[in-house]
Amino acid sequence: MPWAGRDARVSRLRPQPPEDLPTREDLLLAAAYVLDAQYNRNVPFETSPQAIRLYYFYKHWTTQVATYFFICVDLALALFEEPALFPLPFLATSIAEILCLTAFFGRLIHFAKITPQMVFWKDTKNICIMVTIVLTLIDLIIYGSLESINVRSVRWSRALRPVFLINFPESRQIRRAFRSLWNTLPDILYVFLLFMFSVLMFSLMALKLFGDRGLKTAEGSPYFENILEIAFELYVLVTTANSPDIMMPAYDFNWWYSLYFIIYIIINTYIFMSVFLAVVYNNYRKHLKNEIRKLAYLKHHKMIAAFNVLKVKVGTEFVVEEAHWRQLAQVVAPDMSSAHLELLLRISDEGQKGHVDKMNFLQLPDLLNIQVVTINIKRHPLEAWMPRVYQSSASLLVQKMVRHRIFVWIFDVIILINAIFIALDEKKPLISYAEWLFLSLYIIEILLKLYTYEPRAYFEKNQFWNWFDTLIIIAALVATVANATIQSAREYNSQQILDIVLILRILRLLRVIVSIWRFRVIVTTLINIRPVMLTFGGLVFVVYYVFAIVGMEVFHGKVRFFNLNFTAPDALVCGNPALQGSAFARGRYCKNNFNDLASAFTVLMELTVVNQWHVLANGFALVTHQAAKLYFILFHIVVVILIVNIFIAFALEAFFVAYSLEKSEVETAIEKKIQELGVGIQEEELQDGKLTDHVDTKDHGLHGDDGDNKRKALKGLYCRIASKKYRTVDTLLQQMFESEIAPEDEGPSLDEILNFSPSDICPKNPNFENSA
C-alpha cells in the first residue's frame, strides 16, 4: 500500500492550532500511564512535570536494583548475627542494618514525593514500612544497650525484615499472593475448626479405648494415656508420618482396633485433606480473581487517561495522530526496531487513516507485551568464501540430509544405545572404546549442523536448545578426556573429581530432551510458567524466614552436632541429656538444629517434606517444653496445608494453560498483519530447522513509496510471534475480564475499583468457570 504523501493528506483534513499539539510533558505523562498499564502497576502519581520526572526516576531499573540490593543485605544479616553461621561483631551488623533502614526510608520519601498525600497516608504498605523501621530502631537501641552490659536479649525485630520485601511496590506479585492468602483464611476457618473437632473426637475415643489397658509403645512409654499427647499423635497420623507405628500397640493387642485407625485415616487424611485443598484453592482463586479484576479496570483507566492526554478531534471522534503515536511508542519502548514499530502501527491504524482511534489505542499495552521476533536470513560464511564448493551437488546433498527428519531419528537411536553402554561396566575395553565412538558421532553431528546452518544465527542468544545441545557435547568431551587422563595417572584418586566426571558424562542423555520435540514442549512450558513458581517461591521464602528467626531465638543451642567420630557421651544425645533414649538421638538428628540460619532453613525444608517431622517436634519439645510442638504444628498448617496446596494447584493450572491455551485476539491480529505484509514465517519451518532466528535490532523500514521499494526493504526480513510465549493464570483471568469491558466504558471510579470485594457484581463471563 503506498504510504507517500499520506501525512500531508491527513494534515489537510484536520488543521490544528499549535496550542493543541501535545508538549513533551504531555508525552511523558501519557507514556507513564502506558507503562503502568503494560506492567500492571498501580502507583497513583501526581501529574505535575516535576512529579513525572521523579516517577520515571523512581521506576528506573537502577533505583529498583538498589532497593532489592538493600533488601537482600538486610535479610542476609541473619547469617552474621548471633546465632550466626559467620559471626560478626554486633557493631558491624547494626551499622549495616542502619544503612539499609536509611535506604528504605529514602525510598519511602521518594515515593511520598510522587504520590498525593491523602493516597500516601491511606496506603497500608507505606504504614507497614514506617512502623517496621521504627520498631527495628527501637529493638536495635534496646539490644545494643543490654549488649553493652553483657545482658543477652532477644532480637525480635529480625522477624519483621520480610516486611520490606513484601511492601515495596516492586514486589507487587508477592504482596498480591499474600493478600489473597490472607483473605482466604476466614473462608477456610470453619473447615479447619471442623477438622480439629474431628481430631479431638477421635482423641477422646482413643483415650477411652486404650487409656486403661496398660499398653506400651515400642520405646516403653505409656500408650494413649494423655489427651494432649493423643491429639498430637493423631494430628501427625493425618500427615502419615508416624504410620503404622502409632497403630501397632493397639493392633498387636487386638486386630479389631485397626478399624479405628483405618476409619480415622479415611475421614481425616483423605476426605478432610482433599476438602482442604478444594476449599483453599477455590477461595484463593476467588480472591485472586477479584485482584485481577481490579488490575483490569485500573489498566483500562490508565489507558483512557493516556488517550485523553494525546487525543485530538477529527470529524466527530477523538483520535491520536500517527506522529504522536510513534513518539509515544518510542518513549515507552526505546529499543524497539523500526520494523517492529511499523508493524504495530499498521495494526493500530487499521484503515491507514493517519491516526489511531480509541479502541485500537487501548490495546497498545497488549501489543507491546507480545514478543515479535524479527528474523533476518543471512548467507552462510562458507557460501561467501567458496560459493562453488558450498553450492556443489555433494554439499547440497549433505545439507539436505542434515535437514531431513531421518537425521534426527538416527541420533535419537544413537543416544538410546549410548544410554545402555553407560549403564554397563566401563572397565571393559569394548565399552571404553565405545565411549569415544559415541563422542565422535556427537561432535560430527554438531559440525554438520554448523555446516548446514548459519553459525551466528545457530548460536544466537535466543537459541536456547542449540546452546543446550552444544554445551552438553562439550561437557561430555571434557568428561571423557578427563576420565582417560585420570585413569592413566594411577596415583591420582580424587573421588570428588571422578564424581563430577561421571555426572558430566551421564548428562549426555539430556540430549534426548533436545531431540524429541514433545519433551522440548514440556520443558519449555515449565520454563515459561516460572513467574508463577517465583511468586510462590517468594511467598515460601518469607514464611521460612520468619519461622527460621523465631526458631533460632527459641531453640538455638539446645541441640548440638558432634563429629561422627566423636565418642564422648554428649555426642550420643546431641549435647543435651534431655534427649537420652529419644528417637531424635537414636536417629542422629543432631545436625537438624536452629543454631544458624542455614541449619534452620534445612530443618524447615525437612518439615515441609513431612516425613519424620514428629520426631523433630518431639526432640525440640524435650529440650524446651511440650508447648514447643505448637511451633511445628503451626508451620505445618501454614506451609503444608495452605501454601503448598495452593502452589501445587496453581502450578498445575498454569502448566495446563501454558501448554494448551490458544492465542489471544491481539496475537492473532499481529499474525494476520504479518501475513498480509508478506513477511510471515511458519513455526513449523523453524522447528524443522529450515530457518533459524536472528533478532534484528537495526532499522529496517517496512514501508516504501511503491511495491518495488517495499519488497527491497523487506528483502531477507521475516517476522513471527515468539513461540510458546509465557502465559500465567493471572494473565488468562485478566484477558477474560478485559474482554467484557467496552472501550467507551469509563468503568467505576478509582475509589470504587480499589474497594472491590469478591461479592461485588462483575461482568458475567460464561466461560470463566469452565476455562479457569
Side-chain angles (χ1 to χ4, degrees), residues 23-42:
T23 62
R24 175 67 179 173
E25 287 74 17
D26 291 336
L27 199 62
L28 290 175
L29 176 59
Y33 285 135
V34 174
L35 284 168
D36 280 2
Q38 181 183 358
Y39 295 108
N40 285 321
R41 294 195 293 245
N42 178 26

Side-chain angles (χ1 to χ4, degrees), residues 377-391:
I377 309 304
K378 293 186 175 181
R379 298 174 64 193
H380 198 287
L382 294 177
E383 187 178 2
W385 298 338
M386 41 184 184
R388 295 181 64 182
V389 175
Y390 192 75
Q391 294 294 335

Side-chain angles (χ1 to χ4, degrees), residues 161-210:
R161 287 172 181 168
V163 168
F164 300 117
L165 175 63
I166 297 171
N167 285 286
F168 274 110
E170 291 80 7
S171 303
R172 62 188 182 277
Q173 296 289 348
I174 297 177
R175 185 167 57 256
R176 180 152 55 85
F178 258 106
R179 193 162 53 242
S180 298
L181 185 61
W182 177 260
N183 292 331
T184 300
L185 293 180
D187 299 313
I188 66 170
L189 179 61
Y190 292 104
V191 179
F192 183 75
L193 290 176
L194 187 60
F195 164 71
M196 292 306 299
F197 177 74
S198 172
V199 172
L200 291 174
M201 277 207 42
F202 274 93
S203 301
L204 189 59
M205 281 190 283
L207 180 64
K208 298 302 181 182
L209 282 173
F210 312 119

